[in-house]
């Protein structure tokens, strides 16, 4: 019987930026799927396609809609697809982080009770988008400082 340490590590030979992008992609897929699970998403019966009227909240905190969940799923798929190359992974992390910082700014200026809040976002989403944006950019920069893995 082979020892557990004898198994090949699937991350061997993959650049850190590629592993980071794939991990972030998987997390986005998981979050997107969980947004459609009653119980994990509270007030699931109030889930709407889009708009501030969606009363569903992921983990009882983050306002979600079908559109919001679909964006998470698309972002996750993009992360997995782009993690196949060094350049793609870096683009996903830095570009995606920039998108999340723009989304954070959007959440700061939009009236959460208006029709302009079509995603929808609440204050908890805003803080999460700030952390996600900064974190993704940091991952993209810090994992690509050593270009030998390119």
């Amino acid at each position: 019987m082979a020892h557990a340490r004898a198994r090949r590590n699937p991350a061997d030979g993959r650049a850190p930026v590629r592993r980071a992008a794939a991990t972030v992609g998987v997390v986005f897929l998981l979050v997107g799927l969980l947004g459609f699970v009653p119980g994990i998403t509270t007030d699931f019966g109030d889930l709407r396609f889009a708009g501030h009227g969606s009363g569903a909240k992921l983990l009882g905190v983050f306002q979600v809609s079908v559109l919001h969940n679909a964006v998470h799923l698309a972002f996750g798929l993009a992360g997995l697809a782009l993690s196949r190359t060094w350049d793609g992974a870096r683009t996903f992390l830095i570009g995606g982080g920039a998108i999340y910082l723009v989304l954070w700014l959007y959440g700061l200026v939009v009236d959460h009770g208006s029709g302009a809040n079509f995603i929808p976002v609440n204050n908890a989403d805003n803080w999460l988008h700030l952390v996600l944006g900064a974190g993704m950019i940091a991952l993209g920069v810090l994992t690509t400082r050593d270009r030998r893995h390119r």
Side-chain angles (χ1 to χ4, degrees), residues 97-114:
I99 289 169
Y100 268 89
L101 289 180
V102 169
L103 189 54
W104 166 66
L105 290 173
Y106 164 81
L108 292 179
V109 299
V110 71
D111 177 2
H112 290 181
S114 76

Side-chain angles (χ1 to χ4, degrees), residues 52-109:
H52 68 283
S54 185
K57 292 185 178 176
L58 181 62
L59 304 174
V61 178
F62 305 102
Q63 189 175 10
V64 293
S65 65
V66 173
L67 176 63
H68 202 148
N69 293 335
V71 168
H72 288 144
L73 291 170
F75 226 76
L77 291 173
L80 289 177
L82 290 169
S83 74
R84 297 178 62 157
T85 67
W86 190 94
D87 287 325
R90 186 171 194 271
T91 298
F92 169 72
L93 290 172
I94 294 175
I99 289 169
Y100 268 89
L101 289 180
V102 169
L103 189 54
W104 166 66
L105 290 173
Y106 164 81
L108 292 179
V109 299

Side-chain angles (χ1 to χ4, degrees), residues 3-92:
H3 191 274
R5 291 182 196 216
R7 283 186 258 156
R8 183 182 176 282
N9 181 349
D12 287 344
R14 283 183 70 192
V17 68
R18 292 182 58 211
R19 289 194 306 269
T23 300
V24 171
V26 167
V27 169
F28 272 109
L29 280 174
L30 182 62
V31 167
L33 290 172
L34 291 176
F36 292 112
V37 177
I40 293 174
T41 298
T42 59
D43 299 321
F44 188 78
D46 294 331
L47 183 69
R48 302 290 178 262
F49 177 76
H52 68 283
S54 185
K57 292 185 178 176
L58 181 62
L59 304 174
V61 178
F62 305 102
Q63 189 175 10
V64 293
S65 65
V66 173
L67 176 63
H68 202 148
N69 293 335
V71 168
H72 288 144
L73 291 170
F75 226 76
L77 291 173
L80 289 177
L82 290 169
S83 74
R84 297 178 62 157
T85 67
W86 190 94
D87 287 325
R90 186 171 194 271
T91 298
F92 169 72

